[in-house]
Amino acid sequence: MKNKIITVVFVAYIFFFGIGSILMKDREFSDMENRTLQTFPKLTLNTIMSGEFTENFETYMSDQIILKDELVQLKVLENRVLGQKLINDVYFSAEGMLIRNYVNPYEQLNTNLGYVNEFAAANPDLNITWLVAPNACYVYEDRLPDYAPCYDQGEVLRYMMEQVDTSISLVDCSKSLMASKDEYIYYNTDHHWTMNGAYLGYVEYCQTVGITPTQKETYDIVSGSKEFYGTLYSNAPYFGQKMDEVIIFNNPKGEYKVEYLDDDITTDSLYNMDNLSIKDKYTTYLDGNHSILKITSNAPEGDNGKLLVVKDSYGHCLIPLLADHYSEIIVVDLRYYHIGVGKLAYDEGIENVLMINNLDFISTDNNFLWLY
């Protein structure tokens, strides 16, 4: 009798998942995993002989299985119940915050520090400021599981202070973030800081270069969405995970022209509000990743002049705050812009350069060579 029950359950399982997956319409994108899914692979003699069809078909069956999202969540739940602390490079805090792991960074970090120092030496006429943002694993170290082997970013920040060329103004905003850790300064499900956190970095930058920061009370602060699941949730989706809120700072007196030069698109807003309806709502800020864009504003002409910003995605929600201080800002992302920052600054007649990077990015990215 027991064997019959097992057989019936097994057949039902095969029928439900096999037939159900075949009958279900293929999905091209998974919102939960924030990635493109494999659709039915091209069936030709060449793809069969090369093994490409077989390989892609296995991925296809995995991606298109019925109830895929629920099964992924169930797997994460299983791992947590079994006591696994780190799942797909993500820690779960008791407070419901997902925190990305950080490992010994020095190999790539030293390489990138070398590129930055060489860039400064090759461009002595540029005023270079480097705003370095720690990640949640440092600010919320007390929320990590006991004995979590997350490398100390405080040590890394102190090391950077010693190694960066003295001609570069290195801005460490970790103290401001630590002092405001009870506020909503990092997302619970995403690896970025919120616009509240970016505001703290903005204030530190302004104080460093002698600009009076706009008081927070000046902005119209609105909630763009309260239904945001970020990148860390995509890595480790979990039943019942609380969603994040996307906050937007609007200056009622600001007027802007934003030119996405890589896509030949021009808009009058620092935010793409349409992106509040998609999964990756963080792309609301400056429309996400672009190789190069230009912002002109009604900031007093000649007050602070032009600014060239070299950034990773932590800069997306900070740059809108800077737009009220510079008549023109050119923004580049070295992951996509490979022409040379020094040449760009020279061609555009820009003397002030701001680099905005988070510490995890500095420790892992391999595109700093495109600085010059």
Side-chain angles (χ1 to χ4, degrees), residues 325-349:
H325 300 286
Y326 296 92
S327 57
E328 182 177 301
I329 300 177
I330 295 180
V331 183
V332 298
D333 189 323
L334 296 178
R335 291 171 293 180
Y336 316 103
Y337 186 84
H338 296 165
I339 297 177
V341 174
K343 181 179 185 304
L344 178 62
Y346 177 81
D347 292 343
E348 296 292 335

Side-chain angles (χ1 to χ4, degrees), residues 198-206 212-214 219 318 321-322 325:
Y199 179 81
L200 297 174
Y202 152 77
V203 170
E204 290 283 344
Y205 167 75
C206 289
T212 302
T214 303
Y219 298 101
L318 189 151
L321 304 171
L322 295 173
H325 300 286

Side-chain angles (χ1 to χ4, degrees), residues 22-297:
I22 293 173
L23 296 177
M24 184 180 66
K25 183 179 179 181
D26 287 354
R27 295 188 302 161
E28 295 185 358
F29 189 84
S30 169
D31 283 338
M32 189 183 74
E33 297 179 81
N34 195 31
R35 69 177 181 89
T36 301
L37 301 178
Q38 174 70 54
T39 54
F40 192 83
K42 187 176 182 180
L43 180 59
T44 66
L45 181 60
N46 286 337
T47 59
I48 293 175
M49 295 298 293
S50 66
E52 178 183 341
F53 176 81
T54 301
E55 180 179 346
N56 290 340
F57 186 76
E58 290 177 359
T59 304
Y60 166 76
M61 291 301 294
S62 174
D63 280 359
Q64 300 298 339
I65 189 171
I66 191 171
L67 300 179
K68 169 71 182 295
D69 290 349
E70 289 76 12
L71 290 173
V72 172
Q73 290 176 305
L74 189 62
K75 179 61 177 177
V76 172
L77 174 62
E78 176 191 3
N79 290 339
R80 291 199 65 188
V81 169
L82 293 174
Q84 191 169 331
K85 296 180 180 180
L86 186 65
I87 301 174
N88 293 334
D89 223 28
V90 175
Y91 288 110
F92 289 79
S93 77
E95 295 79 7
M97 186 177 198
L98 306 182
I99 302 175
R100 176 181 281 178
N101 190 28
Y102 182 74
V103 298
N104 188 314
Y106 287 103
E107 182 176 357
Q108 189 63 47
L109 176 72
N110 283 323
T111 298
N112 290 337
L113 287 174
Y115 286 132
V116 172
N117 287 339
E118 290 174 21
F119 169 66
N123 297 276
D125 295 332
L126 294 180
N127 303 314
I128 304 173
T129 305
W130 196 4
L131 175 63
V132 179
N135 303 103
C137 63
Y138 178 63
V139 177
Y140 295 103
E141 183 181 8
D142 56 333
R143 296 188 181 184
L144 291 169
D146 292 340
Y147 311 110
C150 200
Y151 204 87
D152 181 11
Q153 289 195 344
E155 174 190 310
V156 178
L157 286 167
R158 291 187 291 272
Y159 176 80
M160 288 184 64
M161 287 287 186
E162 297 172 354
Q163 299 299 318
V164 169
D165 191 278
T166 55
S167 65
I168 300 172
S169 297
L170 185 63
V171 182
D172 172 13
C173 55
S174 60
K175 290 183 179 179
S176 295
L177 291 163
M178 293 286 281
S180 302
K181 64 187 300 182
D182 292 334
E183 301 176 20
Y184 188 47
I185 58 174
Y186 286 87
Y187 291 109
N188 292 306
T189 68
D190 193 77
H191 67 284
H192 295 102
W193 55 9
T194 66
M195 203 161 190
N196 288 325
Y199 179 81
L200 297 174
Y202 152 77
V203 170
E204 290 283 344
Y205 167 75
C206 289
Q207 292 173 346
T208 299
V209 299
I211 294 175
T212 302
T214 303
Q215 295 299 306
K216 206 170 185 179
E217 296 75 20
T218 302
Y219 298 101
D220 290 335
I221 302 177
V222 300
S223 175
S225 174
K226 294 184 179 180
E227 299 181 345
F228 173 41
Y229 282 126
T231 54
L232 301 183
Y233 177 80
S234 296
N235 288 347
Y238 184 67
F239 290 111
Q241 176 68 49
K242 182 180 178 181
M243 289 185 284
D244 275 304
E245 181 177 11
V246 177
I247 299 169
I248 295 171
F249 287 35
N250 286 311
N251 185 341
K253 297 181 179 180
E255 297 176 6
Y256 315 100
K257 177 183 178 182
V258 184
E259 300 172 79
Y260 297 101
L261 301 177
D262 52 357
D263 288 336
D264 196 24
I265 295 173
T266 301
T267 179
D268 61 358
S269 176
L270 298 163
Y271 309 101
N272 186 340
M273 303 302 284
D274 291 340
N275 287 354
L276 290 171
S277 63
I278 66 175
K279 199 273 182 186
D280 190 2
K281 293 175 172 55
Y282 189 77
T283 60
T284 299
Y285 305 109
L286 292 180
D287 194 45
N289 294 325
H290 286 269
S291 62
I292 182 170
L293 61 94
K294 178 190 291 186
I295 303 170
T296 52
S297 74

